Amino acid sequence: MSAAAWLFWPGGSAAPSAPAAVTAAANDSSSARPAAASGFFARKWGEAAPPPDRQERMQAMLKEINTTGPQAVRHGDLQNWWRNGLAQCRQLGGSDCERVLRDALASWSDRKAAAIAAAALDKQSTVADAETHLVQNMNTPLLERLGKLSALRKSLMGDEAAQAWYGRDEAAIGFAAAVNAYAQGDARKVALAQRMTQVEALRQQYYGPYYAELKAAEGAQTAYALEYGLAKLDVKDVTADTALRNALRNKYLSPADATAQAQQDAQAGAQQARVQAYQSALAELERRYADHDNSAYLAEVAALRRRMFE
């Protein structure tokens, strides 16, 4: 994805990460934790006993994730359900949390969803290994690379399981790639209202069955970010950008949120200015010192870093 366009786009979730990294995180294994004999809270000799209510808290957690699991399957967000379940289980001090969550599938009232989740979990290591061997040209457009990756996942995991595990993530990546391409291409040829209509059509296209949920969960911050990203294409200078931000904050946000957003924007702008000034000064040092191992060069670089960032 080109850095010339937006690196962030409002999608109702965190900014999409690299698919391989997502897979690695989702396959996080509890085997790295200290071994335990059996049960949720098995202890080694000499360890303190768990709080008396921890078993009840674990049961409450399992009840909650058993309720949300089938929904995660339908919404293509199973990998986040799995990751969050592991984190909650471990936070409560549970042992062998992967087994705990897999065993909990037997309690799902939606048996089809439970079967899909089990199939996805069974194939995780196979898919992760295959992804490491999938060779793709990084100069190929992101949507094409995503298509090949998605096809590989479905071939190994099956359509339903792959959709349950990767669906929401792939939708976010696909939408980000499509809107970046649009921003670099046809967006500047039309008025802001047409841009917003086109981007909304792209969101509906890429999010598909998740679109209604996405829209229902949106708030004022998303609307602000979306319109700002599109309107910024017409901005020519810092003064115009500041005026645009102020106008959109007042349009979409409460006074308190607008003030907080303004402070965040000011901090981000100051940080960006420091980075740009540092890069410019560093380029001048590199021009003056052909030998970058020169002690004087290294001393000036260290001094520059302290001056800019400490």
Side-chain angles (χ1 to χ4, degrees):
M1 186 183 302
S2 171
W6 298 294
L7 295 182
F8 163 80
W9 191 261
S13 62
S17 57
V22 169
T23 302
N27 280 323
D28 177 31
S29 173
S30 61
S31 61
R33 296 175 62 80
S38 62
F40 288 152
F41 308 112
R43 294 175 287 121
K44 293 181 180 178
W45 179 257
E47 287 183 341
D53 68 336
R54 189 173 293 179
Q55 185 75 37
E56 289 75 14
R57 290 164 60 193
M58 176 66 82
Q59 293 299 335
M61 183 275 289
L62 288 175
K63 182 178 180 180
E64 177 186 354
I65 65 172
N66 286 342
T67 300
T68 58
Q71 183 180 28
V73 169
R74 291 189 293 271
H75 292 176
D77 205 26
L78 186 62
Q79 63 173 303
N80 281 328
W81 173 89
W82 175 254
R83 190 183 301 118
N84 292 338
L86 288 177
Q88 291 181 58
C89 174
R90 289 167 180 167
Q91 189 175 30
L92 290 172
S95 65
D96 198 2
C97 288
E98 289 194 2
R99 179 186 62 79
V100 169
L101 293 189
R102 289 188 65 109
D103 288 350
L105 296 179
S107 300
W108 288 17
S109 58
D110 187 334
R111 300 312 305 155
K112 181 178 180 181
I116 293 172
L121 292 169
D122 287 344
K123 293 293 184 179
Q124 278 305 294
S125 60
T126 300
V127 174
D129 181 67
E131 286 185 5
T132 64
H133 294 90
L134 178 63
V135 178
Q136 298 214 60
N137 186 337
M138 296 305 292
N139 293 322
T140 303
L142 178 56
L143 285 175
E144 291 185 29
R145 284 181 276 139
L146 178 62
K148 290 183 180 180
L149 183 62
S150 181
L152 173 68
R153 291 165 169 173
K154 290 177 179 178
S155 70
L156 296 173
M157 189 178 282
D159 287 356
E160 288 184 318
Q163 187 70 17
W165 192 269
Y166 299 109
R168 191 65 175 264
D169 187 59
E170 290 183 358
I173 296 171
F175 170 70
V179 78
N180 282 343
Y182 177 64
Q184 295 174 74
D186 296 335
R188 286 184 171 86
K189 301 176 183 177
V190 300
L192 176 60
Q194 291 175 275
R195 293 174 198 166
M196 295 185 70
T197 298
Q198 177 59 29
V199 166
E200 200 61 32
L202 287 172
R203 282 213 295 175
Q204 192 163 9
Q205 173 186 343
Y206 282 93
Y207 278 94
Y210 320 125
Y211 177 77
E213 178 197 6
L214 183 73
K215 291 293 291 181
E218 281 182 358
Q221 282 284 352
T222 298
Y224 164 80
L226 189 149
E227 185 167 344
Y228 172 70
L230 291 172
K232 189 178 179 182
L233 295 175
D234 299 324
V235 170
K236 304 300 182 184
D237 54 45
V238 174
T239 301
D241 182 70
T242 300
L244 173 63
R245 287 177 182 270
N246 288 336
L248 292 178
R249 288 190 204 107
N250 293 331
K251 177 180 178 180
Y252 287 109
L253 306 179
S254 68
D257 288 343
T259 299
Q261 184 69 57
Q263 292 173 345
Q264 291 177 11
D265 290 344
Q267 291 170 359
Q271 176 65 14
Q272 184 177 12
R274 282 195 298 271
V275 170
Q276 289 174 344
Y278 169 75
Q279 291 173 339
S280 178
L282 181 62
E284 174 61 20
L285 287 177
E286 291 176 345
R287 186 189 65 78
R288 287 167 47 197
Y289 293 97
D291 180 8
H292 293 173
D293 292 329
N294 183 293
S295 59
Y297 166 79
L298 295 175
E300 289 208 43
V301 169
L304 174 64
R305 289 173 178 166
R306 288 194 297 271
R307 188 167 66 251
M308 289 292 188
F309 301 113
E310 292 182 5

